[in-house]
Amino acid sequence: MTDPLPPEMAAALAASAGRRGGLGDVVHYYDEIGSTNDVAAQLAEHGAAHGTLVLAGRQTAGRGRMGRPWFSPPGAGLYASLVLRSAAVAPVVTLACGVAVARGVTAATGLPVEIKWPNDIVVPDDTAGRRQWRKLAGILAEASLGGGGVADLMLGFGVNLAAAAYPPEVAGQATSLESELGRPVDGGAVLAAVLVALAVAIGQIETGRVGEVLDAWRAAAPGLPGRSVAFEAGGGRRRGTVSGIDSDGALLVRTEAGVERVISGEVIWT
Ligand code: BTN
C-alpha cells in the first residue's frame, strides 16, 4: 500500500505538469520501503507505464553502485526511481540522468555542481590545492527484461537534501544541499527540476540529438580530460590519462597499451 505524497512533492509535481514529458505523471510514494529501484522493477514487471515514479521517505535497503549500500535516512534525502521503457538508448539515458540531476539541482537551488565519472553528482572542492569532491547525489541504473523481451530501465537517483549521521565509510566524502547552501531545501522543487531536465534530455535522444546529451555531460565534467587515473584491468593495476568518455559512457584512458575503455569498477583519481 502506498502512502500519501508529501505536500511539497505534490505541489512541485503539479506545478511542473506538462513539462516532465510524462515522467512522474504516475507516482507511487512510500514513507518507508527497501529500495525504490526494487519497487520500480516490480511495477515494471506488472506493466507500469513509461515514466512511472517511485518515491520513498526512507529506504531500508537503499543501494548504490557496486553493491554498496546507499544511506537513506528519513527527512535527509530524495530517493527516487523511474521506470523507463526505452531500452535501446539505455547507456545514454544513464548519462542523461547525470546531466538532469546536475541541472535540476542547480536550477532548483542555484548550487553549481559537477559530474564525476561514472555519474556521481559532486561539489568540487579545490581548497586542498588539488581537485577533490564532496558527493551530493548518485545514480543507479538497472535493466530488467520485461514482457516480450523488451528491457526496462530502472533509473534510480538519490540526492542528499540534509546532513545526516553518515556511516564512517562515506562521512568524509558526502555532503548535502543544506550543508552546502546553509539553508533547508525543498526536495519537491529539486525532484521536479530533475524530471523536467531529464524530459528535455530524453527528448534530445529520441530526436537523434544524442550528441547534445554527451556534450552536456562533458560540459558538466570539466576536469575530466587530462586527469591521471589508476584502474584495475586484466588482474592488475593500470595507470593512464583520461581522454574523455564514449557514447556508452565508458571512460577512455590513454595507457602505455593504447586507449582503454573502462566500463565499471573503481577508478582512482591520482
Ligand atoms: C551511487 O552513487 O552509488 C548510486 C546511488 C543511487 C541511490 C538511489 S536512491 C533511489 C534509488 N534506490 C536505490 O536503492 N538506489 C537508488
Side-chain angles (χ1 to χ4, degrees):
M1 246 234 326
T2 56
D3 298 301
L5 192 59
E8 74 280 10
M9 298 281 171
L13 288 174
S16 58
R19 291 185 290 126
R20 291 183 269 102
L23 304 178
D25 281 358
V26 177
V27 187
H28 295 250
Y29 177 84
Y30 301 86
D31 288 335
E32 176 182 311
I33 49 170
S35 160
T36 54
N37 265 34
D38 289 342
V39 176
Q42 286 158 14
L43 291 169
E45 215 179 297
H46 290 94
H50 173 78
T52 296
L53 175 67
V54 181
L55 288 173
R58 169 184 191 214
Q59 295 184 118
T60 53
R63 60 175 182 277
R65 289 177 50 250
M66 299 168 67
R68 293 184 180 131
W70 184 258
F71 185 55
S72 311
L78 181 60
Y79 315 117
S81 298
L82 284 163
V83 175
L84 297 186
R85 301 209 180 262
S86 43
V89 291
V92 75
V93 165
T94 307
L95 296 179
C97 190
V99 171
V101 174
R103 284 190 170 162
V105 161
T106 304
T109 69
L111 181 72
V113 295
E114 291 184 5
I115 301 176
K116 178 170 177 275
W117 189 90
N119 230 355
D120 290 348
I121 308 305
V122 296
V123 178
D125 174 3
D126 294 331
T127 51
R130 70 188 186 95
R131 174 138 288 210
Q132 291 181 332
W133 300 272
R134 295 185 292 276
K135 182 163 171 174
L136 182 71
I139 290 151
L140 181 67
E142 296 177 311
S144 78
L145 214 56
V150 178
D152 302 313
L153 191 70
M154 269 49 71
L155 199 52
F157 52 95
V159 182
N160 298 332
L161 297 175
Y166 297 110
E169 59 277 17
V170 295
Q173 300 150 21
T175 191
S176 70
L177 283 169
E178 186 172 324
S179 314
E180 296 296 329
L181 295 163
R183 60 174 171 83
V185 163
D186 177 351
V190 174
L191 171 68
V194 170
L195 296 179
V196 169
L198 185 57
V200 169
I202 289 176
Q204 289 172 323
I205 295 168
E206 287 174 348
T207 52
R209 293 179 289 145
V210 169
E212 291 178 23
V213 175
L214 295 173
D215 286 349
W217 194 99
R218 291 177 180 121
L224 194 62
R227 288 282 311 212
S228 298
V229 292
F231 59 97
E232 304 292 330
R237 178 166 288 196
R238 304 263 248 280
R239 290 179 182 280
T241 306
V242 175
S243 52
I245 59 160
D246 68 14
S247 57
D248 289 339
L251 192 68
L252 302 175
V253 184
R254 190 171 298 283
T255 69
E256 283 178 349
V259 174
E260 297 193 41
R261 288 179 81 241
V262 182
I263 300 166
S264 60
E266 201 67 73
V267 169
I268 298 159
W269 307 86
T270 57

